[in-house]
Every structure is written in structure tokens, then in C-alpha cells.
Amino acid sequence: MYCSHCGYDLKEKQILKAKKSTVLKDDNTKIGYVCPRCGHVIKEGLSEEEVKALSRASHAEIHRARNNINSGMCFLMISIILFVICFMFFLMSFKASAGGMLVTDSTEFYVFIALLVLAVLALGYSLFNLIKGILKHKEYTTLLKNIQNEIFFQ
């Protein structure tokens, strides 16, 4: 079920945990759920205006998904740059004065370790944002196609 106000996708597990609220409409009692994101009531059988609102919210979610993808790609480039600089400092930590051996007491080796940690963190963050953005974009694009083809039901 999708919130027609903010576009939040309320999964089945969350539906069971969600607070139930009763909405009276035309002497029929319908059960709705409170959206955890915005606090509006999510109900079945959306009107045409609510479907339009859901469509607008879906476009906003697609925009957020593109922002996540762009953020993920930026951090991916930052992590690649950090890995290259990290590799350079690793090569500089092999000292000629030590017979070409790796010197773990040198400043270059400590910089290598620090840059390696930063690069791995940036790579993890970039992959998380990239995957999250791609999945969200796919989900809401499918929702918009279903709304456009008038096969969407809640």
C-alpha cells in the first residue's frame, strides 16, 4: 500500500505493525493505516484525486532516487581517487634506505592506512546509495506505469 500524500510504500510487515484507524465514509466502515512518514491515513480504494496525488508523490520519490544515484556515483569517484592516492603512498612506503623493503614505521605507511580506511568507507557509502537509488527508481517507475495504464489498485 502506498501513501497518497507522500508516496511512502507501506510493506506487508509494516501493515501488521502499523496503527489501525477507522475511517467512516458513506455509512461504510473502511480500515485505514496511519503512514509512519507523514501521519496521513492510507486506505484502500483511492479516488481519482488521491491517485493524482500519489502520482505527484511518485515523481518526487523518483527525483529522490536520482539524487541517491548521483550521490552514490560521486562517492564512487571519490573512493576511486582515494584508492589511487592510497596506492601511491603504499609504493612510497617501500624505502630505498631499508633495501627496498616495506617500512611500517614511516609516515607514508600511516597515510596509506588512513586513506585506505577512508576509501573503503566511501566505497561502502557509494554502493549503498547507488543500490538504494536504483531500487527506489525502479519501484516508483513501475508504479507510475501502472497508474498510467490504469492497472494500479491498492
Side-chain angles (χ1 to χ4, degrees):
M1 295 182 82
Y2 292 93
C3 176
S4 61
H5 184 259
C6 68
Y8 183 74
D9 183 16
L10 193 63
K11 305 285 184 195
E12 289 182 21
K13 290 180 183 178
Q14 293 173 336
I15 288 175
L16 297 175
K17 293 179 184 178
K19 298 176 185 175
K20 292 184 180 180
S21 63
T22 305
V23 178
L24 297 174
K25 184 175 183 182
D26 297 333
D27 296 331
N28 293 332
T29 303
K30 293 185 179 182
I31 301 294
Y33 301 97
V34 176
C35 178
R37 186 192 285 174
C38 67
H40 283 77
V41 176
I42 303 172
K43 61 183 180 202
E44 295 180 356
L46 299 176
S47 67
E48 185 176 338
E49 288 299 318
E50 291 172 331
V51 171
K52 287 181 182 179
L54 178 60
S55 177
R56 286 190 296 269
S58 297
H59 279 91
E61 288 294 325
I62 288 174
H63 187 69
R64 286 187 194 105
R66 287 185 186 142
N67 287 342
N68 280 345
I69 291 171
N70 291 340
S71 174
M73 293 300 282
C74 287
F75 271 93
L76 182 64
M77 287 296 109
I78 290 171
S79 66
I80 289 172
I81 291 168
L82 287 176
F83 275 123
V84 168
I85 296 171
C86 173
F87 181 69
M88 288 180 193
F89 274 96
F90 179 69
L91 292 179
M92 285 192 291
S93 63
F94 288 96
K95 300 290 185 178
S97 60
M101 301 296 289
L102 178 67
V103 178
T104 59
D105 297 350
S106 65
T107 306
E108 291 87 359
F109 187 75
Y110 293 137
V111 172
F112 157 71
I113 295 295
L115 287 176
L116 183 65
V117 168
L118 287 176
V120 168
L121 289 175
L123 182 65
Y125 181 73
S126 70
L127 291 177
F128 172 74
N129 267 345
L130 195 60
I131 292 170
K132 179 181 170 185
I134 289 171
L135 292 177
K136 186 184 272 192
H137 187 273
K138 182 180 176 184
E139 176 185 357
Y140 284 99
T141 303
T142 305
L143 175 64
L144 280 176
K145 285 180 184 176
N146 290 341
I147 289 173
Q148 183 179 7
N149 294 333
E150 297 178 357
I151 58 173
F152 172 75
F153 65 94
Q154 181 155 307

